[in-house]
Amino acid sequence: MSGPLHVRGSIVVPEAELAWRFSRSSGPGGQGVNTTDSRVELSFDLARTTALGPALRARALERLAARLVDGVITIVASEQRSQLRNREAARERLAALLRDAVAPPPKRRRPTKPSKGAVERRLAAKKHRSGLKRLRRTED
């Protein structure tokens, strides 16, 4: 569970760059809910990380700008009763978030225009349809 965080391919975040905080979680837990620190906060300093190259870091900072506070991203997990499972959930969420943030941008759409035949077929179908509707009309 502990150790470096594998994001994808050659991108690995060292354990030393991940900061953990634990607190009491609201929600399910029975009698132990008030005594166990099962809520997990995982913080990662994206602005100063050595795990990403300059280009990937810039892309990630741009895409995650709304979620960052002073270049640090924080993931909170408190769904599980166990701190260990919440830690695993937070690690998975951070990995998925970073994976999406550093993914290459999608290919640009090449604009196309309909062929001459397609335009003619569309207009012929419209003309046929309007002719059918004209025949249904009643003359007053």
Side-chain angles (χ1 to χ4, degrees), residues 59-105:
R59 185 184 299 162
L61 285 169
E62 180 185 331
R63 289 183 179 172
L64 297 174
R67 291 196 58 166
L68 296 175
V69 177
D70 296 330
V72 176
I73 189 152
T74 303
I75 306 289
V76 176
S78 62
E79 298 79 31
Q80 307 294 327
R81 289 174 57 169
S82 156
Q83 184 190 103
L84 181 65
R85 287 203 295 259
N86 281 331
R87 286 177 72 138
E88 290 168 352
R91 284 175 63 93
E92 286 300 317
R93 273 194 234 150
L94 179 61
L97 199 65
L98 290 176
R99 202 174 302 121
D100 292 343
V102 300

CSV table of all heavy atoms in Angstrom, one decimal, residues 59-105:
chain,number,residue,atom,x,y,z
A,59,ARG,N,1.1,21.2,-18.1
A,59,ARG,CA,-0.2,20.8,-18.5
A,59,ARG,C,-1.1,20.4,-17.3
A,59,ARG,O,-2.3,20.8,-17.3
A,59,ARG,CB,0.0,19.5,-19.4
A,59,ARG,CG,-1.3,19.1,-20.0
A,59,ARG,CD,-1.1,17.8,-20.8
A,59,ARG,NE,-0.2,18.0,-21.9
A,59,ARG,CZ,0.4,17.0,-22.6
A,59,ARG,NH1,0.2,15.7,-22.2
A,59,ARG,NH2,1.2,17.2,-23.6
A,60,ALA,N,-0.5,19.7,-16.4
A,60,ALA,CA,-1.3,19.3,-15.2
A,60,ALA,C,-1.7,20.6,-14.4
A,60,ALA,O,-2.9,20.6,-13.9
A,60,ALA,CB,-0.5,18.4,-14.3
A,61,LEU,N,-0.8,21.5,-14.2
A,61,LEU,CA,-1.2,22.7,-13.4
A,61,LEU,C,-2.3,23.5,-14.1
A,61,LEU,O,-3.2,24.0,-13.5
A,61,LEU,CB,0.1,23.6,-13.3
A,61,LEU,CG,1.1,23.2,-12.3
A,61,LEU,CD1,2.4,24.0,-12.4
A,61,LEU,CD2,0.5,23.3,-10.9
A,62,GLU,N,-2.3,23.5,-15.5
A,62,GLU,CA,-3.3,24.2,-16.2
A,62,GLU,C,-4.6,23.5,-16.1
A,62,GLU,O,-5.7,24.2,-15.8
A,62,GLU,CB,-2.9,24.3,-17.7
A,62,GLU,CG,-3.9,25.0,-18.6
A,62,GLU,CD,-3.5,25.0,-20.0
A,62,GLU,OE1,-2.3,24.9,-20.3
A,62,GLU,OE2,-4.4,25.0,-20.9
A,63,ARG,N,-4.6,22.2,-16.2
A,63,ARG,CA,-5.9,21.5,-16.2
A,63,ARG,C,-6.5,21.4,-14.8
A,63,ARG,O,-7.7,21.2,-14.7
A,63,ARG,CB,-5.7,20.1,-16.8
A,63,ARG,CG,-5.5,20.1,-18.3
A,63,ARG,CD,-5.4,18.7,-18.8
A,63,ARG,NE,-5.2,18.7,-20.2
A,63,ARG,CZ,-4.9,17.6,-20.9
A,63,ARG,NH1,-4.8,16.5,-20.3
A,63,ARG,NH2,-4.7,17.7,-22.2
A,64,LEU,N,-5.7,21.4,-13.8
A,64,LEU,CA,-6.2,21.2,-12.4
A,64,LEU,C,-6.2,22.6,-11.6
A,64,LEU,O,-6.3,22.6,-10.4
A,64,LEU,CB,-5.3,20.2,-11.6
A,64,LEU,CG,-5.3,18.8,-12.2
A,64,LEU,CD1,-4.3,17.9,-11.4
A,64,LEU,CD2,-6.7,18.2,-12.1
A,65,ALA,N,-6.1,23.7,-12.3
A,65,ALA,CA,-6.0,25.0,-11.7
A,65,ALA,C,-7.1,25.2,-10.7
A,65,ALA,O,-6.9,25.8,-9.7
A,65,ALA,CB,-5.9,26.1,-12.8
A,66,ALA,N,-8.3,24.8,-11.1
A,66,ALA,CA,-9.5,25.1,-10.2
A,66,ALA,C,-9.4,24.3,-8.9
A,66,ALA,O,-10.0,24.7,-7.9
A,66,ALA,CB,-10.8,24.7,-11.0
A,67,ARG,N,-8.7,23.2,-8.9
A,67,ARG,CA,-8.6,22.4,-7.6
A,67,ARG,C,-7.4,22.6,-6.8
A,67,ARG,O,-7.3,22.1,-5.7
A,67,ARG,CB,-8.6,20.9,-8.0
A,67,ARG,CG,-9.9,20.4,-8.6
A,67,ARG,CD,-10.0,19.0,-8.6
A,67,ARG,NE,-9.9,18.4,-7.3
A,67,ARG,CZ,-10.2,17.1,-7.0
A,67,ARG,NH1,-10.7,16.3,-7.9
A,67,ARG,NH2,-10.0,16.7,-5.8
A,68,LEU,N,-6.5,23.4,-7.3
A,68,LEU,CA,-5.2,23.7,-6.6
A,68,LEU,C,-5.3,24.8,-5.6
A,68,LEU,O,-6.0,25.8,-5.9
A,68,LEU,CB,-4.1,24.0,-7.6
A,68,LEU,CG,-3.7,22.8,-8.6
A,68,LEU,CD1,-2.7,23.3,-9.5
A,68,LEU,CD2,-3.2,21.6,-7.8
A,69,VAL,N,-4.6,24.7,-4.5
A,69,VAL,CA,-4.4,25.8,-3.5
A,69,VAL,C,-2.9,25.9,-3.3
A,69,VAL,O,-2.3,25.0,-2.8
A,69,VAL,CB,-5.1,25.4,-2.2
A,69,VAL,CG1,-4.9,26.5,-1.2
A,69,VAL,CG2,-6.6,25.2,-2.4
A,70,ASP,N,-2.4,27.0,-3.8
A,70,ASP,CA,-0.9,27.3,-3.8
A,70,ASP,C,-0.1,26.1,-4.4
A,70,ASP,O,0.9,25.7,-3.9
A,70,ASP,CB,-0.4,27.5,-2.3
A,70,ASP,CG,-1.0,28.7,-1.7
A,70,ASP,OD1,-1.3,29.7,-2.5
A,70,ASP,OD2,-1.2,28.7,-0.5
A,71,GLY,N,-0.7,25.6,-5.5
A,71,GLY,CA,0.0,24.5,-6.2
A,71,GLY,C,-0.1,23.1,-5.6
A,71,GLY,O,0.5,22.2,-6.1
A,72,VAL,N,-0.9,23.0,-4.6
A,72,VAL,CA,-1.1,21.7,-3.9
A,72,VAL,C,-2.5,21.2,-4.1
A,72,VAL,O,-3.5,21.9,-4.0
A,72,VAL,CB,-0.9,21.9,-2.3
A,72,VAL,CG1,-1.1,20.6,-1.6
A,72,VAL,CG2,0.6,22.4,-2.1
A,73,ILE,N,-2.6,19.9,-4.5
A,73,ILE,CA,-3.9,19.3,-4.6
A,73,ILE,C,-4.1,18.4,-3.5
A,73,ILE,O,-3.2,17.7,-3.0
A,73,ILE,CB,-3.9,18.5,-6.0
A,73,ILE,CG1,-5.3,18.0,-6.2
A,73,ILE,CG2,-3.0,17.3,-6.0
A,73,ILE,CD1,-5.7,17.9,-7.6
A,74,THR,N,-5.4,18.4,-3.0
A,74,THR,CA,-5.7,17.6,-1.8
A,74,THR,C,-6.9,16.7,-2.1
A,74,THR,O,-7.9,17.2,-2.7
A,74,THR,CB,-6.1,18.5,-0.6
A,74,THR,OG1,-5.0,19.4,-0.3
A,74,THR,CG2,-6.4,17.7,0.6
A,75,ILE,N,-6.8,15.4,-1.8
A,75,ILE,CA,-7.8,14.4,-2.0
A,75,ILE,C,-8.3,14.0,-0.6
A,75,ILE,O,-7.5,13.7,0.2
A,75,ILE,CB,-7.3,13.2,-2.8
A,75,ILE,CG1,-6.6,13.6,-4.1
A,75,ILE,CG2,-8.3,12.2,-3.0
A,75,ILE,CD1,-7.5,14.1,-5.1
A,76,VAL,N,-9.6,13.9,-0.4
A,76,VAL,CA,-10.2,13.5,0.8
A,76,VAL,C,-11.0,12.2,0.6
A,76,VAL,O,-11.7,12.1,-0.3
A,76,VAL,CB,-11.1,14.6,1.4
A,76,VAL,CG1,-11.8,14.1,2.7
A,76,VAL,CG2,-10.4,15.9,1.6
A,77,ALA,N,-10.8,11.3,1.5
A,77,ALA,CA,-11.5,10.0,1.4
A,77,ALA,C,-12.0,9.7,2.8
A,77,ALA,O,-11.2,9.6,3.8
A,77,ALA,CB,-10.6,8.9,0.9
A,78,SER,N,-13.3,9.5,2.9
A,78,SER,CA,-13.9,9.1,4.2
A,78,SER,C,-15.1,8.1,4.1
A,78,SER,O,-15.9,8.0,5.0
A,78,SER,CB,-14.3,10.3,5.0
A,78,SER,OG,-15.3,11.0,4.3
A,79,GLU,N,-15.1,7.5,2.9
A,79,GLU,CA,-16.3,6.6,2.6
A,79,GLU,C,-16.2,5.3,3.4
A,79,GLU,O,-17.3,4.7,3.8
A,79,GLU,CB,-16.4,6.2,1.2
A,79,GLU,CG,-16.5,7.4,0.2
A,79,GLU,CD,-15.3,8.2,0.0
A,79,GLU,OE1,-14.2,7.6,0.0
A,79,GLU,OE2,-15.3,9.4,-0.1
A,80,GLN,N,-15.0,4.8,3.7
A,80,GLN,CA,-14.9,3.5,4.3
A,80,GLN,C,-14.7,3.6,5.8
A,80,GLN,O,-14.4,4.7,6.3
A,80,GLN,CB,-13.6,2.8,3.7
A,80,GLN,CG,-13.6,2.7,2.2
A,80,GLN,CD,-14.7,1.8,1.7
A,80,GLN,OE1,-15.1,0.8,2.3
A,80,GLN,NE2,-15.2,2.1,0.5
A,81,ARG,N,-15.0,2.6,6.5
A,81,ARG,CA,-14.8,2.6,8.0
A,81,ARG,C,-13.3,2.5,8.4
A,81,ARG,O,-12.9,2.9,9.4
A,81,ARG,CB,-15.6,1.5,8.6
A,81,ARG,CG,-17.1,1.7,8.6
A,81,ARG,CD,-17.9,0.6,9.0
A,81,ARG,NE,-17.6,0.2,10.4
A,81,ARG,CZ,-18.3,-0.6,11.1
A,81,ARG,NH1,-19.4,-1.2,10.6
A,81,ARG,NH2,-17.9,-0.9,12.4
A,82,SER,N,-12.5,1.9,7.5
A,82,SER,CA,-11.1,1.6,7.8
A,82,SER,C,-10.2,2.7,7.2
A,82,SER,O,-10.4,3.1,6.1
A,82,SER,CB,-10.8,0.2,7.2
A,82,SER,OG,-9.4,0.1,6.9
A,83,GLN,N,-9.3,3.1,8.0
A,83,GLN,CA,-8.3,4.1,7.5
A,83,GLN,C,-7.5,3.6,6.4
A,83,GLN,O,-7.2,4.3,5.4
A,83,GLN,CB,-7.4,4.5,8.7
A,83,GLN,CG,-6.4,5.6,8.3
A,83,GLN,CD,-5.3,5.9,9.3
A,83,GLN,OE1,-4.2,5.5,9.1
A,83,GLN,NE2,-5.7,6.6,10.3
A,84,LEU,N,-7.1,2.3,6.4
A,84,LEU,CA,-6.4,1.7,5.4
A,84,LEU,C,-7.1,1.7,4.0
A,84,LEU,O,-6.5,2.1,3.0
A,84,LEU,CB,-6.0,0.2,5.7
A,84,LEU,CG,-5.2,-0.5,4.7
A,84,LEU,CD1,-3.8,0.1,4.6
A,84,LEU,CD2,-5.1,-2.0,5.1
A,85,ARG,N,-8.4,1.4,4.0
A,85,ARG,CA,-9.1,1.4,2.8
A,85,ARG,C,-9.3,2.8,2.3
A,85,ARG,O,-9.3,3.1,1.1
A,85,ARG,CB,-10.5,0.7,3.0
A,85,ARG,CG,-10.3,-0.8,3.1
A,85,ARG,CD,-11.6,-1.5,2.7
A,85,ARG,NE,-12.7,-1.3,3.6
A,85,ARG,CZ,-13.1,-2.1,4.6
A,85,ARG,NH1,-12.5,-3.2,4.7
A,85,ARG,NH2,-14.1,-1.8,5.4
A,86,ASN,N,-9.5,3.8,3.2
A,86,ASN,CA,-9.6,5.2,2.8
A,86,ASN,C,-8.2,5.7,2.2
A,86,ASN,O,-8.2,6.5,1.3
A,86,ASN,CB,-10.0,6.1,4.0
A,86,ASN,CG,-11.5,6.0,4.2
A,86,ASN,OD1,-12.3,5.8,3.3
A,86,ASN,ND2,-11.8,6.2,5.5
A,87,ARG,N,-7.1,5.2,2.7
A,87,ARG,CA,-5.8,5.6,2.2
A,87,ARG,C,-5.7,5.0,0.8
A,87,ARG,O,-5.2,5.7,-0.1
A,87,ARG,CB,-4.7,5.0,3.1
A,87,ARG,CG,-4.5,5.7,4.3
A,87,ARG,CD,-3.4,5.1,5.2
A,87,ARG,NE,-2.1,5.3,4.6
A,87,ARG,CZ,-1.1,5.7,5.3
A,87,ARG,NH1,-1.1,5.8,6.6
A,87,ARG,NH2,0.1,5.9,4.7
A,88,GLU,N,-6.1,3.8,0.6
A,88,GLU,CA,-6.0,3.2,-0.8
A,88,GLU,C,-6.9,3.9,-1.8
A,88,GLU,O,-6.6,4.2,-2.9
A,88,GLU,CB,-6.5,1.7,-0.7
A,88,GLU,CG,-5.4,0.8,0.0
A,88,GLU,CD,-6.0,-0.6,0.3
A,88,GLU,OE1,-7.2,-0.8,0.1
A,88,GLU,OE2,-5.2,-1.4,0.8
A,89,ALA,N,-8.1,4.3,-1.3
A,89,ALA,CA,-9.1,5.1,-2.2
A,89,ALA,C,-8.5,6.4,-2.5
A,89,ALA,O,-8.6,6.8,-3.7
A,89,ALA,CB,-10.4,5.2,-1.4
A,90,ALA,N,-7.8,7.1,-1.6
A,90,ALA,CA,-7.2,8.4,-1.9
A,90,ALA,C,-6.1,8.3,-2.9
A,90,ALA,O,-6.0,9.1,-3.8
A,90,ALA,CB,-6.8,9.0,-0.6
A,91,ARG,N,-5.3,7.2,-2.7
A,91,ARG,CA,-4.1,7.0,-3.6
A,91,ARG,C,-4.7,6.8,-5.1
A,91,ARG,O,-4.2,7.3,-6.0
A,91,ARG,CB,-3.3,5.8,-3.2
A,91,ARG,CG,-2.4,6.2,-2.0
A,91,ARG,CD,-1.6,4.9,-1.6
A,91,ARG,NE,-0.8,4.4,-2.6
A,91,ARG,CZ,0.5,4.6,-2.7
A,91,ARG,NH1,1.1,5.5,-1.9
A,91,ARG,NH2,1.2,4.1,-3.7
A,92,GLU,N,-5.7,5.9,-5.2
A,92,GLU,CA,-6.3,5.6,-6.5
A,92,GLU,C,-6.9,6.9,-7.1
A,92,GLU,O,-6.7,7.1,-8.3
A,92,GLU,CB,-7.4,4.6,-6.3
A,92,GLU,CG,-6.9,3.2,-6.1
A,92,GLU,CD,-6.0,2.7,-7.2
A,92,GLU,OE1,-6.3,2.9,-8.4
A,92,GLU,OE2,-4.9,2.1,-6.9
A,93,ARG,N,-7.6,7.7,-6.3
A,93,ARG,CA,-8.2,8.9,-6.9
A,93,ARG,C,-7.1,9.9,-7.4
A,93,ARG,O,-7.2,10.5,-8.4
A,93,ARG,CB,-9.0,9.6,-5.8
A,93,ARG,CG,-10.4,9.1,-5.8
A,93,ARG,CD,-11.3,10.0,-5.1
A,93,ARG,NE,-12.0,9.1,-4.1
A,93,ARG,CZ,-12.4,9.5,-2.9
A,93,ARG,NH1,-12.3,10.8,-2.5
A,93,ARG,NH2,-13.0,8.7,-2.1
A,94,LEU,N,-6.0,10.0,-6.6
A,94,LEU,CA,-4.9,10.9,-7.0
A,94,LEU,C,-4.3,10.4,-8.3
A,94,LEU,O,-4.0,11.2,-9.2
A,94,LEU,CB,-3.9,11.1,-5.9
A,94,LEU,CG,-2.7,12.0,-6.2
A,94,LEU,CD1,-3.2,13.4,-6.5
A,94,LEU,CD2,-1.7,11.9,-5.1
A,95,ALA,N,-4.0,9.1,-8.4
A,95,ALA,CA,-3.4,8.6,-9.6
A,95,ALA,C,-4.3,8.8,-10.8
A,95,ALA,O,-3.8,9.2,-11.8
A,95,ALA,CB,-3.2,7.1,-9.4
A,96,ALA,N,-5.6,8.6,-10.6
A,96,ALA,CA,-6.6,8.8,-11.7
A,96,ALA,C,-6.6,10.3,-12.1
A,96,ALA,O,-6.6,10.6,-13.3
A,96,ALA,CB,-8.0,8.3,-11.4
A,97,LEU,N,-6.6,11.1,-11.2
A,97,LEU,CA,-6.6,12.6,-11.4
A,97,LEU,C,-5.4,13.0,-12.2
A,97,LEU,O,-5.5,13.8,-13.2
A,97,LEU,CB,-6.7,13.3,-10.1
A,97,LEU,CG,-7.2,14.8,-10.1
A,97,LEU,CD1,-8.7,14.8,-10.6
A,97,LEU,CD2,-7.1,15.4,-8.8
A,98,LEU,N,-4.2,12.6,-11.7
A,98,LEU,CA,-3.0,12.9,-12.4
A,98,LEU,C,-2.9,12.3,-13.8
A,98,LEU,O,-2.4,12.9,-14.8
A,98,LEU,CB,-1.8,12.5,-11.6
A,98,LEU,CG,-1.5,13.2,-10.3
A,98,LEU,CD1,-0.4,12.6,-9.5
A,98,LEU,CD2,-1.3,14.7,-10.6
A,99,ARG,N,-3.4,11.1,-14.0
A,99,ARG,CA,-3.4,10.4,-15.3
A,99,ARG,C,-4.2,11.2,-16.3
A,99,ARG,O,-3.8,11.4,-17.4
A,99,ARG,CB,-4.0,9.0,-15.1
A,99,ARG,CG,-3.7,8.0,-16.1
A,99,ARG,CD,-4.2,6.6,-15.8
A,99,ARG,NE,-3.7,6.1,-14.6
A,99,ARG,CZ,-4.5,5.7,-13.5
A,99,ARG,NH1,-5.8,5.8,-13.6
A,99,ARG,NH2,-4.0,5.3,-12.4
A,100,ASP,N,-5.4,11.7,-15.8
A,100,ASP,CA,-6.2,12.5,-16.8
A,100,ASP,C,-5.6,13.9,-17.0
A,100,ASP,O,-5.7,14.4,-18.1
A,100,ASP,CB,-7.6,12.7,-16.2
A,100,ASP,CG,-8.4,11.4,-16.1
A,100,ASP,OD1,-8.0,10.5,-16.8
A,100,ASP,OD2,-9.4,11.4,-15.4
A,101,ALA,N,-4.9,14.4,-16.0
A,101,ALA,CA,-4.3,15.8,-16.2
A,101,ALA,C,-3.1,15.8,-17.1
A,101,ALA,O,-2.9,16.8,-17.8
A,101,ALA,CB,-3.9,16.3,-14.8
A,102,VAL,N,-2.3,14.7,-17.1
A,102,VAL,CA,-1.1,14.7,-18.0
A,102,VAL,C,-1.4,14.0,-19.3
A,102,VAL,O,-0.4,14.0,-20.2
A,102,VAL,CB,0.1,14.1,-17.3
A,102,VAL,CG1,0.4,14.8,-16.0
A,102,VAL,CG2,-0.2,12.6,-17.0
A,103,ALA,N,-2.6,13.5,-19.6
A,103,ALA,CA,-2.9,12.9,-20.8
A,103,ALA,C,-2.7,13.9,-22.0
A,103,ALA,O,-3.0,15.1,-21.8
A,103,ALA,CB,-4.3,12.3,-20.8
A,104,PRO,N,-2.2,13.4,-23.1
A,104,PRO,CA,-2.1,14.3,-24.3
A,104,PRO,C,-3.5,14.9,-24.7
A,104,PRO,O,-4.5,14.2,-24.5
A,104,PRO,CB,-1.4,13.5,-25.4
A,104,PRO,CG,-1.7,12.1,-25.0
A,104,PRO,CD,-1.8,12.1,-23.5
A,105,PRO,N,-3.5,16.1,-25.2
A,105,PRO,CA,-4.8,16.6,-25.7
A,105,PRO,C,-5.3,15.8,-26.8
A,105,PRO,O,-4.6,15.2,-27.6
A,105,PRO,CB,-4.4,18.0,-26.1
A,105,PRO,CG,-3.0,18.0,-26.4
A,105,PRO,CD,-2.4,17.0,-25.5
